[in-house]
Amino acid sequence: MLLPLLLRPPLCLPQASAVLTRCVRMLRCGAPRGLHSQAKNFLWQWRPQRHQARGRSRKTQSQEEEWRNRNKTALTYIAAAGVGMIGLAYAAVPLYRLYCQATGLGGTAVAGHDTEQVATMTPVKERVIKVTFNADTHASMQWNFRPQQTEIFVVPGETALAFYRAKNPTDKPIIGISTYNVVPFDAGQYFNKIQCFCFEEQRLNPHEEVDMPVFFYIDPEFDNDPRMARVDTITLSYTFFEAKEGQKLPLPGYSYS
């Protein structure tokens, strides 16, 4: 009666418990020798299986805990990377604008100047360059904005002064802010502005009109650059936008649709 149970496939836990109970009863009640030995062998085989099952269970729990810790660490790194990318996205525009102003990339005139260089630089008299001026306003900007002069002639190493004029023809105050670029783009690194009104908010009251100066010079190194050999005209262009909360200015040297 015990042999068929021993020869069956592996039992589930409730069935194995019932068989074990019957085996123990046989051993206590003095079962025949054949059944007695079968019961002892079954108990001996079942005992290590229980220990192995417990060992496997503990090992599985340990692996699950290890994987859980690894997942937490990975999620922490992913979250930190996401926050860092969002921060870089917000900082990209002002950082790029500062880089453009420092290097002249994208037709951006170089901001700032070396006072000693301005005082000691030698004009290149034989290289005359025509500088033309352009003025634009965004579609939503209600100012009248134009250059006071259409062109001037300068030489590398010589300072020059130009003016733009802005007027608010409306009956309400309007705050504007401007961006600019230089064409050809490669000439931007040599176009140095000592004073200008770009990237600064300008408030005009109703019907107010103002002149805005641009004080600049072209670096004498312009004449030594082979890429500038055929450049005899440079265009300085300004565009005014109405300053509104959340509005982003386009990057210098690049157009936005």
Side-chain angles (χ1 to χ4, degrees):
M1 58 185 293
L2 183 62
L3 185 58
L5 293 173
L6 298 176
L7 296 176
R8 291 175 61 183
L11 304 174
C12 62
L13 187 57
Q15 294 173 334
S17 299
V19 173
L20 287 173
T21 302
R22 294 173 63 181
C23 290
V24 172
R25 287 177 181 175
M26 288 179 183
L27 292 175
R28 289 180 178 177
C29 298
R33 181 172 296 179
L35 294 176
H36 187 276
S37 61
Q38 290 179 11
K40 288 182 64 177
N41 290 336
F42 179 79
L43 290 175
W44 180 256
Q45 293 174 2
W46 176 251
R47 184 177 180 182
Q49 291 178 1
R50 293 179 62 189
H51 286 295
Q52 291 175 5
R54 290 179 182 177
R56 284 195 299 268
S57 178
R58 291 175 181 174
K59 185 176 181 181
T60 302
Q61 291 178 356
S62 176
Q63 289 178 346
E64 289 180 353
E65 185 177 355
E66 182 180 355
W67 279 108
R68 200 174 292 115
N69 292 334
R70 289 183 179 180
N71 289 338
K72 288 182 180 179
T73 303
L75 287 174
T76 301
Y77 282 123
I78 292 173
V83 173
M85 292 177 67
I86 293 173
L88 288 175
Y90 277 101
V93 172
L95 288 176
Y96 181 80
R97 183 175 295 139
L98 290 174
Y99 177 74
C100 287
Q101 292 178 359
T103 63
L105 180 67
T108 306
V110 178
H113 60 283
D114 187 340
T115 305
E116 183 177 352
Q117 179 182 357
V118 173
T120 58
M121 62 184 179
T122 302
V124 184
K125 296 293 186 180
E126 63 276 8
R127 185 72 185 274
V128 179
I129 302 170
K130 180 172 70 174
V131 179
T132 62
F133 301 89
N134 181 63
D136 294 299
T137 56
H138 189 262
S140 63
M141 185 59 162
Q142 302 180 56
W143 282 7
N144 296 328
F145 179 58
R146 59 184 177 83
Q148 289 286 72
Q149 63 290 303
T150 57
E151 61 185 37
I152 61 175
F153 292 89
V154 298
V155 299
E158 181 180 73
T159 59
L161 180 63
F163 287 92
Y164 283 79
R165 175 166 293 181
K167 180 179 181 180
N168 177 12
T170 70
D171 296 327
K172 62 178 181 180
I174 296 177
I175 298 176
I177 188 169
S178 67
T179 183
Y180 63 90
N181 67 358
V182 172
V183 179
F185 288 167
D186 289 340
Q189 60 184 309
Y190 300 109
F191 199 101
N192 294 266
K193 291 184 296 151
I194 302 173
Q195 179 184 356
C196 77
F197 50 87
C198 50
F199 299 119
E200 295 180 359
E201 291 187 351
Q202 310 285 337
R203 177 190 173 94
L204 292 185
N205 293 319
H207 305 286
E208 182 180 4
E209 186 175 18
V210 296
D211 289 334
M212 299 178 177
V214 181
F215 192 33
F216 67 94
Y217 69 92
I218 298 175
D219 195 300
E221 292 296 324
F222 177 91
D223 189 50
N224 298 325
D225 190 339
R227 297 174 302 169
M228 303 293 107
R230 298 184 179 182
V231 176
D232 55 9
T233 301
I234 295 176
T235 300
L236 176 63
S237 180
Y238 281 89
T239 302
F240 254 106
F241 299 79
E242 184 174 357
K244 295 181 179 179
E245 184 177 358
Q247 183 178 12
K248 296 181 180 180
L249 290 178
L251 296 176
Y254 295 89
S255 61
Y256 279 53
S257 58

